[in-house]
Amino acid sequence: MTAPVTKREAEVLELLADHLANAQIATKLHISVRTVESHVAALLRKHGVTDRKQLANLARQHPAETRRRLTGLPTPLTSFVGRVGEQHSVGAAIQRGPLVTLLGPGGVGKTRLATEVAEVVSPMFDNRGGFVDLTSVRGAVAPAVAAVLGVSPQPQQPLVDAITDSLGDRPALLVLDSCEHLLDAVAELVARLLVDCPGTVVLATSRERLRLPGEHIVPVDPLDVQDDATTLFRDRAAAVDPRFSAEPATIVRICARLDGMPLAIELAAARAPALGAQGLLTALDDVLRVLAGARNPDPRHRSLRTVIDWSHHLLPAVEREVFRRLAIFDSPFDLPAATAVAEAGDATTVADLLGHLVDKNLVVYVPQAARWRLLDTVRAYGRQQLAAAGEQAAVRRRHLRWAQTAATALEKRLRGAWRDEFDAVVDDLRAALREVPPSPEHTAHQLARSLGRLVYARGLRQEAIGRYREAAVLATTPADAAADLRAAADCAAVNYRADLAFELLLAAAEKAAQAGDSSTRATMLARAVDLGCRFRARFAVSISDERLRDLQQEAVANAGDPLTTAATSITAAWLQGPPTPNPALAERALAAARDAGDPEILWGAIDTMTSVYERQGELRQAYRLARTGLPLLYELDRDDPRAGATVNSIHHMTALYATVAGDFPAAIEIARTAAADPIAAERLSLASMLVPPLVLTGDFNEAVHHADAMWHAWQASGRAPAGWLWFAAATAALAHGLNEDHDGYRRWRNRMTELAGPQNIFRLRTAGSALFADARMAVHTGDMTDAPTIVEATFADRTGGPRYRVFSFAAAAELAVAAALPDALRYVDAAAKLTAENDWATAC
């Protein structure tokens, strides 16, 4: 039996008979010369000849072989895209056995694939047999087969006998297309043919298996949305309007929304020229309405709805019921979830029903995850059926209960392996809350609160803020609402949203007052005052000292236990000593915090006292005290939003004080520890910790790597003014400059201007964190032109505190000496006391 020749190879063979060169053949067939060469090589191999002349002789001797077609085989009106792997699989299956079934959902392209394969392999069967479209057949199958084969029975002869006599034992290919509504009748006929006609191969297409012995299944899956699906979309859209164009990413998104289903893609592509790719993507929110109206000869393919209708109509009542209820899921679901939501019996019963729906290609089983899912287009249809059945509200309630149970179970596993399970169900946890009215409801509140904790622990901190605020709206008691608002504030603080955290804390205090909880009210007010004192630069609208004092008085009036007493003591120290805490009150707050024993409160007091030491120029003492906070890291729950800001602050401030005290190895070690911490591993904070000590120890390459990451993270975060990053940026500039990369130096000095924002440009011009890099570069290059200006401005600077002046004073004093400035010794003396707090500065 001669190896099958593809349709394209047959076209090439015909043109070879006319003695055309490869380039001429390529021009006629609109393909590349390389592709022609590939087809010629395949023809030589398949026909067992050695040169083009022999191929041309074969084509002239047997021209009919290139034109004969299987009886009833449809003539495609459009190009065939992709499916190379499936074609090979079907061809191999046909070689192996007498029954091959192309299995897949409606609209996936089974008929078109069967047509292409039959076109290729029918010469293997001397083009005997036929292609039988069973779409419109009801009842018996034999008459449709006999009509295609041209069989008429003898008097008194059963029609099936006439068919088997006609086919006999010679090779024949019988394609039975669209068998799913006639499974029993098709199975009965095929079983007879397999016995009586040993040379016949049956190629069936169906949404469900025939379940006959020896049946070879070839799954027909959706197209790859990154490859064949987009090619198909472009081809069909260009057929409607050759001028059509769209961004590749948008087309990929369209194909992904359509699950890579060829029919859906073709229907969508037909609408694309009128809607535009972006308009089509938006319209696909109502996919069943948009993908309708085609004038396809096959009525099943005129809209996406009719394709799914065909499969849905074949379901028994109980399977229809389960199918529409499962459509409530947004993402793949497991058996317990399906059992809880479908309410169709126990797990065994639901598993059996799921199996039937998978067999009928309305539900997809995902073996790697041991879950089931509905294609998006099928889900949209199922939800319409759910609404039509009047079950939507009841199924949503069951879905909400399941989601709350699942989220609670995941919360209990936060210390173990939970992330993969969370990722699998999070879309459904979100979806369960989407339709809940914004009013108190116990189950929804529990779900929103659990989801807030889970997304926070997963690193989705911005979403966590919204989930906790949502929980506060759904809370059934003021106490619960206060707890949720406090958690939202903690998440905002971790996200460097001090202004939002401030407002959320005040709202939490108000809810605590409604609950009669004076202790919680005092804690929330004290925390708000603390943010207002420490992070005023991060507030979009400034807060007056008077307002902070009023809030402090309220907090003190409601305080009554060691925790609230310690909290209000910390804020009192800040309020009575701006811009740094009052030393005596800071010491008193530290003692109170140690008595209270709460790690968050204790770190707040340590941080307050280190600020006092820093302002007094006692950098080594600030570093020693900050290090006492490191053991607190082991007491803090990384999955609790309350601990997040404290964890960040301990890592950041301890590394900073290690740097300003000159202990660069410790600073780098602390920063690397922070990088491994799931809460503290934030690029802006990490870079500000790592870049300066790396540069000051000469590790320029790694420093530049982290600096670039910091820059991109700042841009992605919204480009809010960030003066706290100036020193990291200045040392990044210095790394480039000392590496003789002067363009890089200038680039980072300009970036400092961007980090400053318009309102801080003047401060930046005199900031020691910026002048430090200028002074060091002047010494490095020997260019003393600006030395007097740099030195004078440095010693006049009072921005940023001693933490940066310890470096800028040392560098400026060195520059004054190197430039032989008249007052050089005076500058050295002026720097001596502060630089004695840092070994690097002392050496400088």
Side-chain angles (χ1 to χ4, degrees):
M1 190 179 292
T2 304
V5 175
T6 68
K7 183 166 63 174
R8 180 65 81 188
E9 288 169 351
E11 293 171 345
V12 171
L13 189 59
E14 283 191 75
L15 294 173
L16 285 172
D18 295 331
H19 301 289
L20 296 185
N22 286 353
Q24 293 171 308
I25 295 173
T27 301
K28 279 185 171 290
L29 298 180
H30 304 290
I31 57 178
S32 70
V33 174
R34 186 180 294 275
T35 302
V36 175
E37 292 171 351
S38 175
H39 288 316
V40 171
L43 287 165
L44 291 170
R45 185 179 66 256
K46 291 179 179 181
H47 286 283
V49 296
T50 59
D51 58 36
R52 295 165 61 92
K53 184 176 180 181
Q54 290 175 296
L55 282 177
N57 289 336
L58 283 172
R60 287 194 296 273
Q61 291 168 14
H62 306 286
E65 288 186 5
T66 66
R67 297 180 177 86
R68 286 175 55 200
R69 303 181 82 243
L70 197 67
T71 304
L73 190 65
T75 300
L77 301 177
T78 56
S79 62
F80 184 66
V81 175
R83 301 290 191 201
V84 173
E86 288 94 333
Q87 289 183 76
H88 290 161
S89 296
V90 179
I94 287 173
Q95 294 275 10
R96 287 198 306 271
L99 173 59
V100 179
T101 301
L102 305 187
L103 192 68
V108 81
K110 301 182 297 295
T111 298
R112 186 60 189 276
L113 176 59
T115 301
E116 292 295 321
V117 170
E119 182 83 55
V120 172
V121 304
S122 57
M124 296 169 52
F125 301 90
D126 297 326
N127 290 308
R128 293 188 70 244
F131 187 104
V132 185
D133 182 359
L134 299 176
T135 304
S136 59
V137 174
R138 299 293 182 269
V141 175
V145 175
V148 170
L149 297 179
V151 171
S152 298
Q154 298 296 322
Q156 307 303 314
Q157 183 186 31
L159 185 56
V160 175
D161 290 349
I163 292 172
T164 58
D165 287 349
S166 172
L167 291 172
D169 58 4
R170 294 171 56 201
L173 175 66
L174 184 63
V175 182
L176 301 178
D177 184 44
S178 300
C179 300
E180 56 274 347
H181 62 301
L182 300 165
L183 289 174
D184 290 339
V186 170
E188 182 180 356
L189 174 63
V190 171
R192 175 74 182 276
L193 295 177
L194 298 184
V195 173
D196 293 351
C197 306
T200 297
V201 170
V202 176
L203 176 61
T205 75
S206 180
R207 304 183 190 187
E208 189 172 355
R209 292 177 294 154
L210 300 184
R211 299 177 185 274
L212 287 173
E215 181 180 21
H216 295 281
I217 300 297
V218 178
V220 184
D221 297 320
L223 298 173
D224 179 355
V225 298
Q226 296 284 348
D227 188 4
D228 290 338
T230 57
T231 301
L232 178 64
F233 183 93
R234 287 186 181 281
D235 181 84
R236 301 305 191 255
V240 177
D241 183 353
R243 299 166 299 176
F244 174 78
S245 65
E247 289 291 327
T250 304
I251 295 179
V252 169
R253 290 177 63 195
I254 291 170
C255 293
R257 287 282 298 273
L258 299 174
D259 302 305
M261 295 292 285
L263 176 62
I265 290 169
E266 293 196 0
L267 292 170
R271 301 293 308 274
L275 296 173
Q278 196 60 50
L280 174 62
L281 189 60
T282 301
L284 288 178
D285 288 341
D286 190 353
V287 65
L288 297 177
R289 182 170 65 87
V290 172
L291 304 187
R295 293 189 177 90
N296 196 302
D298 183 347
R300 295 172 307 155
H301 292 172
R302 290 174 185 167
S303 73
L304 192 58
R305 184 189 303 278
T306 56
V307 172
I308 306 172
D309 266 335
W310 176 267
S311 294
H312 186 256
H313 177 73
L314 299 175
L315 295 179
V318 65
E319 291 177 18
R320 290 189 193 184
E321 186 178 80
V322 172
F323 164 71
R324 64 178 178 257
R325 292 174 182 176
L326 294 178
I328 201 70
F329 288 103
D330 268 23
S331 52
F333 49 86
D334 60 12
L335 183 57
T339 304
V341 171
E343 204 174 59
D346 60 17
T348 302
T349 302
V350 173
D352 181 57
L353 291 168
L354 275 169
H356 288 304
L357 291 170
V358 171
D359 285 341
K360 293 166 184 177
N361 277 284
L362 280 167
V363 173
V364 178
Y365 180 61
V366 186
Q368 303 92 326
R371 291 175 177 272
W372 292 263
R373 73 181 185 95
L374 276 65
L375 298 178
D376 288 348
T377 48
V378 174
R379 182 187 301 114
Y381 178 90
R383 288 182 177 177
Q384 288 192 353
Q385 296 299 312
L386 187 65
E391 296 181 337
Q392 201 169 45
V395 172
R396 278 181 179 160
R397 283 194 297 272
R398 293 200 293 273
H399 186 242
L400 177 66
R401 287 196 298 270
W402 162 80
Q404 186 266 319
T405 301
T408 300
L410 283 167
E411 258 196 296
K412 293 177 181 177
R413 292 165 49 193
L414 283 175
R415 295 296 178 88
W418 65 278
R419 288 175 175 78
D420 289 345
E421 178 72 15
F422 169 78
D423 292 346
V425 302
V426 63
D427 285 343
D428 269 298
L429 303 186
R430 293 165 175 149
L433 286 169
R434 197 176 299 138
E435 303 296 333
V436 175
S439 57
E441 205 282 331
H442 177 72
T443 303
H445 169 254
Q446 291 299 314
L447 173 57
R449 176 180 280 185
S450 294
L451 185 53
R453 180 82 177 271
L454 291 168
V455 296
Y456 175 82
R458 198 67 179 94
L460 306 173
R461 298 173 191 168
Q462 188 61 42
E463 181 180 352
I465 299 171
R467 293 301 172 188
Y468 277 119
R469 297 178 79 172
E470 184 178 25
V473 172
L474 297 168
T476 56
T477 68
D480 279 337
D484 296 327
L485 289 166
R486 192 267 170 79
D490 291 331
C491 295
V494 175
N495 272 18
Y496 304 103
R497 294 289 310 280
D499 51 352
L500 176 59
F502 180 87
E503 296 300 331
L504 289 168
L505 286 165
L506 295 185
E510 184 62 30
K511 288 293 182 181
Q514 294 174 18
D517 185 349
S518 58
S519 178
T520 297
R521 177 170 172 75
T523 301
M524 299 301 99
L525 291 171
R527 177 74 175 121
V529 173
D530 186 68
L531 289 173
C533 289
R534 295 188 197 219
F535 303 108
R536 291 195 188 192
R538 297 184 189 174
F539 281 70
V541 179
S542 62
I543 303 171
S544 68
D545 291 339
E546 183 180 3
R547 187 182 185 197
L548 292 176
R549 283 193 291 270
D550 288 345
L551 292 173
Q552 171 72 1
Q553 288 178 358
E554 286 187 59
V556 171
N558 283 273
D561 57 55
L563 280 178
T564 54
T565 299
T568 53
S569 295
I570 293 170
T571 50
W574 282 98
L575 277 172
Q576 294 191 34
T580 52
N582 177 284
L585 293 179
E587 286 194 19
R588 190 181 305 169
L590 183 57
R594 284 174 172 152
D595 289 340
D598 180 86
E600 282 91 358
I601 294 292
L602 179 53
W603 173 253
I606 290 172
D607 193 25
T608 300
M609 196 66 218
T610 58
S611 295
V612 171
Y613 287 137
E614 181 193 345
R615 182 58 62 174
Q616 293 173 347
E618 300 177 59
L619 302 182
R620 296 184 192 276
Q621 182 63 19
Y623 175 42
R624 281 193 289 270
L625 179 59
R627 285 189 69 89
T628 66
L630 289 174
L632 298 176
L633 290 170
Y634 300 101
E635 301 179 38
L636 296 165
D637 182 358
R638 299 305 192 275
D639 300 323
D640 184 349
R642 185 184 174 211
T646 301
V647 170
N648 270 341
S649 181
I650 292 174
H651 283 300
H652 182 83
M653 297 307 297
T654 309
L656 184 148
Y657 283 122
T659 297
V660 300
D663 191 353
F664 301 143
I668 293 170
E669 181 184 356
I670 294 167
R672 295 199 193 287
T673 301
D677 194 307
I679 297 302
E682 197 276 326
R683 287 194 178 277
L684 285 174
S685 182
L686 284 175
S688 69
M689 288 188 268
L690 264 173
V691 174
L694 286 172
V695 173
L696 293 168
T697 53
D699 194 344
F700 299 151
N701 290 336
E702 186 180 355
V704 166
H705 167 75
H706 288 292
D708 287 339
M710 174 188 79
W711 178 253
H712 295 309
W714 176 73
Q715 289 180 311
S717 69
R719 304 171 68 91
W724 61 285
L725 295 175
W726 284 351
F727 191 58
T731 50
L734 187 58
H736 285 282
L738 296 179
N739 255 348
E740 308 303 333
D741 177 4
H742 300 293
D743 288 340
Y745 175 78
R746 284 189 292 272
R747 182 170 64 251
W748 272 100
R749 285 294 278 114
N750 291 333
R751 285 178 174 179
M752 291 186 72
T753 303
E754 293 188 57
L755 287 167
Q759 66 272 42
N760 291 315
I761 293 297
F762 179 76
R763 280 185 58 221
L764 177 62
R765 289 178 188 146
T766 60
S769 52
L771 295 169
F772 164 70
D774 295 338
R776 292 294 292 163
M777 280 303 297
V779 172
H780 176 71
T781 61
D783 182 356
M784 303 299 169
T785 306
D786 296 325
T789 303
I790 294 172
V791 172
E792 182 179 353
T794 298
F795 283 95
D797 172 47
R798 289 297 179 267
T799 64
R803 68 177 61 165
Y804 301 126
R805 289 204 295 273
V806 70
F807 294 105
S808 61
F809 277 20
E814 181 187 25
L815 176 60
V817 173
L821 297 185
D823 292 335
L825 291 180
R826 179 171 64 82
Y827 288 126
V828 172
D829 290 341
K833 181 180 179 181
L834 182 59
T835 56
E837 295 289 319
N838 179 304
D839 291 341
W840 182 93
T842 300
C844 190

